[in-house]
Amino acid sequence: MLLLSACGGSSGNAGGSGGSSDDVLSLALENTLPGWDWRKQISAGHVGLEWRPVYDTLLRTRTDGTVVPNAAEKYSYNEDKTVLTLKMRAGMKFTDGAPVDARAAKFSLEGFRDGGGADSLRLAGVKVHVVDDLTLTLTLPAPNPALISYLGGSCGQLVSPASLDSPTLATKPIGSGPYVLNTRATVTGSKFVFNRNPDYWNPDDFPYDKVEFLVMADETAQLNALSTGQIDGAEISLGSIERAKSTGLRVDSFPNVWSGLFFLDRAGTKIPALGDVRVRKAINMVFDRSAIAEGIWNGNGVANSQTYGPISPAFQKDLVDHYPYDIKAAQRLMKEAGYADGFSITLPEVDHYNDEYSAIAVQQLAKLNIRAEVVSVPRQESISRILGGEFPMFVYKMPVNPEAEQVSNVLGPKGAFNPYHSEDPELNKLLAKWTVADGDQAAKVYQEINRFLVEKAWFAPFGNPDLPWAFNGSTTISGTLGTTPPLYAFK
């Protein structure tokens, strides 16, 4: 495995305040952290960005999906990829003065694994052993290509062992990241302020002396804040791209997500009809993907019957139009499956995340006599309620990459986004091949997995919409990880 060093940026100068200063990065985010307990943090969405200033990670997952060293300066697997050895950098310290060493890493990993958070299953069965002051090993119950990517996210957070006994764990984190939470300037639930950590080992990758996150659920408020220079950047909806450009804002788009219907109950545990592949195929056929790409995405995306878009090695051109828009054929499939009368289902609607699909989902599902009721779910509750299995089917926006992480998280029987633990013997064989595949062979296995997902209708994708971010000045990002840019990507 190639061990790479992180890329460098230019270091900030004297500190400033507000979005107008080159030394301050100010971003609008749509939701807020529930607290600073590292065991409860997740990598998904904007909350995956909010903890990163204070909690450094063992490894770093780049925006192109590759994994490189970070707080662990070296990493390597044994021959059968069941033991991962990590070598920590010497001399690092937490903000309480404690050393960032192998024992602290073990504490952090085991606390996260056993902490009951939404991402904790990603470390299920992983055993951590301290070899010496700076070396530790992670022993896996079975090979998992996603593990190193996970260690660049929530699973790889490093926290001081004093955190567990700290009475202020929920409000004052003790990490070793590039920034320190400014508790005086921070307003819980509405504003986070971080000052540069003068002792951070890699300051060049974080050019800002100060980082601010302003919680703004309303997109109009975000655009107004951008236009007036109150903030430097924000993720916006596809429908707001032209509005943003008309006010002089710069918009950068990233095509690494998919949108569509996500089936969880593929075995028909709660909704028996969803256990029939003919029903899932019928649902695929009642959505006009091209119309969605033009009418909802305003041409900022591509229609696609597969979750993987053109940027992914799993993408296959012949699968783009696998499910034609054919309502009569879809109705025949429902009748053949014995569900001509359809069924009732509840769909969650999350503001500024999937609400643009509610009307078309209800309208088109009704053509199959599927009676969909939309219920509003607060953004901060959406992940926990979905991962809790409350909704057998929902419309969502999901990352395409990193591919290994998505396969493990979404398709694995114990994956966080597979709360119904769906399995299929054919897919299990493909997953077994995936765990030991490398290079060109890995790309081939991803394509085989992709074909299975399409042909067995595990999802009903609309396609791959762009993911737009708007900026009011010279701030740029090198890309996103899933749906959110990592902090190091901002320059």
Side-chain angles (χ1 to χ4, degrees), residues 27-344:
L27 304 175
L29 303 182
E30 293 177 349
N31 52 355
T32 185
L33 284 176
W36 287 102
D37 187 336
W38 87 99
R39 296 166 296 186
K40 308 302 180 184
Q41 307 308 331
I42 62 176
S43 296
H46 288 177
V47 289
L49 177 61
E50 289 173 317
W51 55 260
R52 290 180 184 271
V54 295
Y55 291 140
D56 206 8
T57 53
L58 285 163
L59 302 178
R60 172 184 289 186
T61 304
R62 286 176 165 167
T63 55
D64 64 2
T66 58
V67 179
V68 296
N70 197 50
E73 65 179 359
K74 293 181 181 179
Y75 66 96
S76 60
Y77 271 115
N78 67 340
E79 187 174 352
D80 68 0
K81 297 184 179 180
T82 58
V83 179
L84 178 68
T85 299
L86 299 161
K87 178 68 178 294
M88 305 295 292
R89 298 180 188 275
M92 294 184 299
K93 291 187 177 183
F94 292 104
T95 54
D96 66 352
V100 180
D101 56 15
R103 290 174 180 79
K106 174 181 170 70
F107 166 83
S108 302
L109 290 163
E110 291 182 338
F112 189 87
R113 179 197 64 196
D114 303 332
D119 283 358
S120 62
L121 286 176
R122 298 182 181 194
L123 293 182
V126 174
K127 297 179 180 179
V128 186
H129 174 67
V130 172
V131 178
D132 57 40
D133 286 349
L134 295 176
T135 309
L136 66 154
T137 60
L138 277 64
T139 302
L140 289 67
N144 183 359
L147 178 64
I148 57 173
S149 181
Y150 287 158
L151 296 181
S154 58
C155 299
Q157 296 168 95
L158 293 169
V159 300
S160 170
S163 296
L164 197 58
D165 298 321
S166 172
T168 59
L169 172 59
T171 58
K172 190 176 182 180
I174 309 174
S176 62
Y179 297 91
V180 179
L181 180 69
N182 184 331
T183 55
R184 290 186 178 181
T186 293
V187 180
T188 302
S190 62
K191 182 179 183 180
F192 298 98
V193 179
F194 307 90
N195 295 329
R196 181 182 291 281
N197 179 359
D199 298 321
Y200 185 63
W201 68 273
N202 184 23
D204 287 349
D205 269 11
F206 301 89
Y208 300 96
D209 284 341
K210 183 177 178 182
V211 173
E212 299 177 341
F213 296 148
L214 304 181
V215 180
M216 295 183 182
D218 182 72
E219 188 170 44
T220 297
Q222 293 176 8
L223 291 169
N224 289 338
L226 280 166
S227 298
T228 58
Q230 182 184 354
I231 58 173
D232 298 309
E235 181 185 348
I236 62 173
S237 66
L238 291 169
S240 294
I241 289 179
E242 293 307 315
R243 177 184 172 189
K245 289 180 176 179
S246 70
T247 59
L249 300 176
R250 192 186 79 256
V251 177
D252 295 336
S253 295
F254 303 91
N256 61 334
V257 298
W258 71 270
S259 290
L261 280 162
F262 196 115
F263 301 123
L264 282 183
D265 190 13
R266 304 179 191 99
T269 305
K270 286 188 175 181
I271 306 293
L274 292 179
D276 194 309
V277 67
R278 293 168 294 186
V279 171
R280 301 196 302 270
K281 287 181 176 181
I283 292 173
N284 266 274
M285 295 169 66
V286 294
F287 289 97
D288 187 339
R289 293 172 172 81
S290 295
I292 291 173
E294 289 302 318
I296 296 180
W297 303 342
N298 298 314
N300 298 294
V302 294
N304 193 358
S305 291
Q306 59 198 310
T307 59
Y308 296 102
I311 67 167
S312 172
F315 174 78
Q316 294 179 78
K317 190 175 181 179
D318 68 306
L319 294 176
V320 170
D321 299 315
H322 187 82
Y323 289 106
Y325 176 50
D326 192 333
I327 293 175
K328 291 189 179 299
Q331 291 170 338
R332 287 195 294 271
L333 276 175
M334 292 290 286
K335 184 176 181 179
E336 180 184 321
Y339 293 101
D341 293 332
F343 54 89
S344 298

Side-chain angles (χ1 to χ4, degrees), residues 30-32 350 377-384:
E30 293 177 349
N31 52 355
T32 185
V350 183
V377 175
R379 184 77 177 261
Q380 63 269 26
E381 296 178 9
S382 62
I383 295 292
S384 60

